[in-house]
Amino acid sequence: MKLQSKLFYSYLIFLLLYIAFVLLPAPDPAILLHYNLSPLTLRLIDVTIILLLAGIWFAGFYGYAKLQDYARLIRQDKDGQHVSKLTRGVFFLVMWLPVSSVASAILNYIAIKHHGLLAAVKIIENYINLLLPLVGFIFIGIGARGLSELAQHRPTYRSANIMVIALVYIGLIYYRLVATTYHRADVYHMPIWLILTTIVGPYVYMWFIGMLATYEIYRYRRKVAGVVYRKSWNLLALGLGWLVVMSIGFQYLTTLSARLNGLSLYWLLAIVYSVLLVLAISFVLIALGARKLQKIEEV
Amino acid sequence: MSSRTDNDLYKKVVEVSYVYLGPAADRFIVRQIRGHLNKEPEQLQKNDLINLIDWISLAMAVLVEEEELVSQYQTELKSLVS
């Protein structure tokens, strides 16, 4: 079976599983009561979110497939080995969306049936959300470092300082949001020291390698020889950078998730739809960038 | 920049192309020679150059919109003919 068809079938399996676990169980009466909704309206909202997610997952899978095609075309060459690592990282980031959404749908279904498992469900959800992008950014970081070494250009002292300063403040804001959020127990279901050491710490580390990788790809794009080749890296670098920014935004938003429950349904939907659409941009950029690079290797 | 053969002419073509295509230059030129001239890079000769430059220009026109860039690349390659 070809890679493309394997990817397509896994996309369909994820989608069907998600649809089944969101639409088949009876709507949660607590949600209907909280937002004053009829079961039909809730189902319609679920369908719009499923459609959006299907689009974003498709953009992710498509972007990965294009990047994989490009990596395969150049795998024997020096840059090819680094692009392969980068592609592996993008694979984990692409899988993060369907895996976390499907796992969340399944776990929430279990939690509705067994209320005692709610805390365990939330904890597992939080770790799934962390692990896949963490592994993804580690691979992207290794690939980006390889490319940067190929262009014989390491980050300057000044840029390293700027990155560290940015990271210190991003980390501090995240720590502040996690530590002081009124509904911390509902979001994390863990003691603060465990949240700080196993969630906040790894996230800040992940953002660091993500930022560093983005910067190294940006430097590679600027310093590597080849006017045409350089330009083709623009969109890919932008897409990866955007994913790092989105990951930071997601985590900030997660700390506020319990507070967001107090918003009206329209505001809540506006936030969910906007986040999903903004996330889709990064995968579309990666797909377009990979297509441009692939074109150089095909003509 | 790496070259796959000891053929000096081929190396020079890759060297010129490196400015435009960077790490993709070697692969690009090998593809043009194999695909359009039906030769291996080490068999490249001076009398193949005009034909090769035409194919390279066509391929570059597909990749970039700036005509100036393509014609600059073409001029640099043509200087290898003389």
Side-chain angles (χ1 to χ4, degrees), chain A:
Chain A
M1 197 170 11
K2 282 171 82 179
L3 174 91
Q4 250 72 348
S5 53
K6 261 188 198 170
L7 269 178
F8 182 67
Y9 287 128
S10 41
Y11 167 75
L12 279 183
I13 290 167
F14 278 122
L15 198 58
L16 289 173
L17 273 172
Y18 188 71
I19 291 170
F21 277 93
V22 170
L23 293 185
L24 291 182
D28 187 352
I31 295 176
L32 296 178
L33 193 70
H34 184 80
Y35 294 108
N36 197 19
L37 290 171
S38 71
L40 181 69
T41 317
L42 183 63
R43 283 296 174 245
L44 285 174
I45 292 169
D46 284 337
V47 169
T48 58
I49 292 175
I50 288 171
L51 286 174
L52 260 175
L53 280 178
I56 296 166
W57 295 357
F58 186 80
F61 276 80
Y62 179 76
Y64 168 70
K66 287 282 148 202
L67 200 58
Q68 174 78 4
D69 283 344
Y70 172 63
R72 235 176 315 145
L73 283 170
I74 62 164
R75 67 178 163 213
Q76 306 291 349
D77 292 273
K78 277 183 194 165
D79 54 339
Q81 292 158 16
H82 306 304
V83 171
S84 286
K85 284 183 189 119
L86 214 124
T87 307
R88 205 173 303 165
V90 171
F91 170 76
F92 281 99
L93 289 179
V94 166
M95 293 310 278
W96 159 55
L97 290 173
V99 168
S100 62
S101 304
V102 170
S104 173
I106 296 172
L107 290 167
N108 280 316
Y109 172 74
I110 296 169
I112 290 170
K113 299 271 172 199
H114 311 277
H115 286 285
L117 292 175
L118 188 70
V121 161
K122 289 288 167 202
I123 291 169
I124 295 170
E125 265 182 38
N126 283 336
Y127 283 115
I128 290 176
N129 267 322
L130 165 70
L131 275 178
L132 283 170
L134 177 64
V135 175
F137 278 120
I138 287 173
F139 275 116
I140 289 174
I142 296 169
R145 170 47 58 103
L147 286 172
S148 148
E149 279 172 356
L150 206 63
Q152 292 171 340
H153 229 281
R154 303 287 293 273
T156 59
Y157 179 73
R158 198 173 128 220
S159 54
N161 268 288
I162 292 171
M163 255 187 294
V164 169
I165 292 167
L167 193 78
V168 165
Y169 284 99
I170 288 168
L172 282 175
I173 294 168
Y174 184 42
Y175 165 75
R176 166 82 164 79
L177 286 170
V178 170
T180 62
T181 185
Y182 181 64
H183 303 277
R184 193 176 63 232
D186 298 335
V187 181
Y188 298 101
H189 297 270
M190 292 195 303
I192 185 74
W193 62 269
L194 207 55
I195 300 171
L196 291 181
T197 50
T198 64
I199 291 187
V200 175
Y203 265 117
V204 175
Y205 170 69
M206 180 178 98
W207 296 334
F208 166 69
I209 44 172
M211 278 166 69
L212 187 64
T214 307
Y215 178 72
E216 284 188 311
I217 293 171
Y218 168 76
R219 294 292 291 182
Y220 175 70
R221 189 188 64 81
R222 283 196 63 186
K223 298 292 169 189
V224 73
V227 192
V228 180
Y229 180 78
R230 260 203 308 263
K231 277 188 185 168
S232 303
W233 270 92
N234 278 356
L235 293 173
L236 193 62
L238 204 63
L240 290 171
W242 194 241
L243 268 176
V244 179
V245 173
M246 280 311 298
S247 167
I248 297 170
F250 260 149
Q251 284 321 302
Y252 280 10
L253 214 57
T254 302
T255 62
L256 303 172
S257 60
R259 223 174 274 180
L260 294 179
N261 283 337
L263 290 177
S264 78
L265 183 68
Y266 299 107
W267 272 111
L268 204 59
L269 284 176
I271 292 172
V272 171
Y273 292 152
S274 328
V275 166
L276 291 178
L277 284 172
V278 171
L279 181 66
I281 293 172
S282 49
F283 288 114
V284 171
L285 287 173
I286 289 173
L288 292 175
R291 256 181 63 182
K292 269 197 148 187
L293 283 164
Q294 195 185 344
K295 211 167 153 190
I296 299 181
E297 305 298 332
E298 286 180 340
V299 289

Side-chain angles (χ1 to χ4, degrees), chain B residues 37-65:
Chain B
L37 305 182
N38 295 316
K39 282 185 167 188
E40 284 303 311
E42 55 267 28
Q43 296 170 313
L44 186 71
Q45 290 172 342
K46 252 195 174 164
N47 54 10
D48 296 320
L49 267 186
I50 295 294
N51 201 5
L52 179 66
I53 292 169
D54 284 345
W55 284 113
I56 289 175
S57 307
L58 265 176
M60 283 298 284
V62 174
L63 291 176
V64 286
E65 283 163 9

